[in-house]
Structures are given as C-alpha cells and as structure tokens.
Amino acid sequence: MHPLYSELIEQSIKAKKHSYSPYSKFSVGAALLTSTNKIYTGTNVESASYSLSICAERVAFTKAVSEGEKKFKAIAISASIKDYIYPCGACRQFMYEFGKDLDVIIIKSKKDFLIIKLADLLPGAFDKRSLKL
C-alpha cells in the first residue's frame, strides 16, 4: 500500500463534512492523490434539480485538473453510510479518462477499506480508442 493512502483515507472522511446534500442527506467525500503526491478533496454538491448535482469524485478531479494536474495514483471515497461506497457509473467513466490503473479506495472506516483498480470497476470502458482517433 502506498504510504500516503492512510492520509488519503483521512482526507476523504474529513471532506464529506463539507457535503451540500440537503435533499438526499447522503454525504460523500473524496480525496485524490496525484502523481506528484498532492491531495485534492471533493464532496458532493446537490441541486434541487437532481440531474445538476455533482459527485465528490468529479469535484476532486476537476479541482486537480484546474490546477494543472493530469496524472493520478489513487482516489479514496467515503460516505455517510456505514458500508462500502462505490463510485457511480458516471464517475467511473469520468475517472477512466485519466487512467484505468487508478487505485480506487472504497472506505467503510479508517481501518476497513478495499483497494480496487478502476479497470476492474469499469470493464469494457469507453475511451479514446473507442473514438478511433
């Protein structure tokens, strides 16, 4: 396990405290580790028009990309439920844009988590090869 994964898990759990989820009451936090060992956090932000809401994972990625980061090692994801929380399909596809080898850390608690490769969460992903460019 990467030495920063414990910190990544901690930051994910802290990030969910900033969730804006007045409708679902479902708080999600994400912490993204870049190839330069910086950590960017994100939390879900809901809208009364549900389809305009954004997931914590995509918030973390957009923050990092907006700061010039394009290569990532891992993302840790936690939620207000007491079970493992997996990224939704849209987030899986979005994250795949930046690499199928990303470690996805699915958190139940600080000491109870799973580490899964993104490619295993999204087999047969649509990517640039699909566009035949």
Side-chain angles (χ1 to χ4, degrees):
M1 186 168 83
H2 191 282
L4 288 176
Y5 282 12
S6 293
E7 177 67 17
L8 205 60
I9 290 167
E10 187 73 36
Q11 291 296 321
S12 171
I13 292 168
K14 284 182 185 178
K16 71 182 170 191
K17 294 177 185 173
H18 299 293
S19 170
Y20 180 74
S21 48
Y23 308 106
S24 71
K25 309 290 189 237
F26 186 75
S27 303
V28 180
L32 178 63
L33 180 64
T34 71
S35 63
T36 60
N37 290 329
K38 288 184 183 176
I39 295 175
Y40 290 86
T41 60
T43 190
N44 57 321
V45 180
E46 293 181 349
S47 169
S49 174
Y50 286 123
S51 65
L52 297 178
S53 299
I54 187 168
C55 299
E57 300 92 326
R58 287 181 280 149
V59 169
F61 268 92
T62 55
K63 283 171 64 175
V65 170
S66 72
E67 295 294 322
E69 300 287 350
K70 302 280 190 310
K71 295 182 181 182
F72 306 98
K73 295 178 182 178
I75 188 165
I77 306 163
S78 62
S80 55
I81 60 172
K82 304 232 184 286
D83 203 353
Y84 299 112
I85 181 68
Y86 290 82
C88 72
C91 285
R92 292 176 198 202
Q93 181 64 52
F94 188 90
M95 294 186 299
Y96 201 92
E97 185 69 23
F98 299 97
K100 64 181 180 181
D101 293 323
L102 183 75
D103 282 339
V104 181
I105 305 167
I106 308 299
I107 302 169
K108 191 173 191 178
S109 71
K110 288 181 188 178
K111 304 248 185 237
D112 188 0
F113 55 88
L114 307 170
I115 301 174
I116 304 167
K117 288 289 184 195
L118 179 58
D120 293 331
L121 288 175
L122 190 62
F126 184 89
D127 63 9
K128 62 184 175 186
R129 294 172 301 175
S130 304
L131 298 173
K132 299 184 182 183
L133 297 176

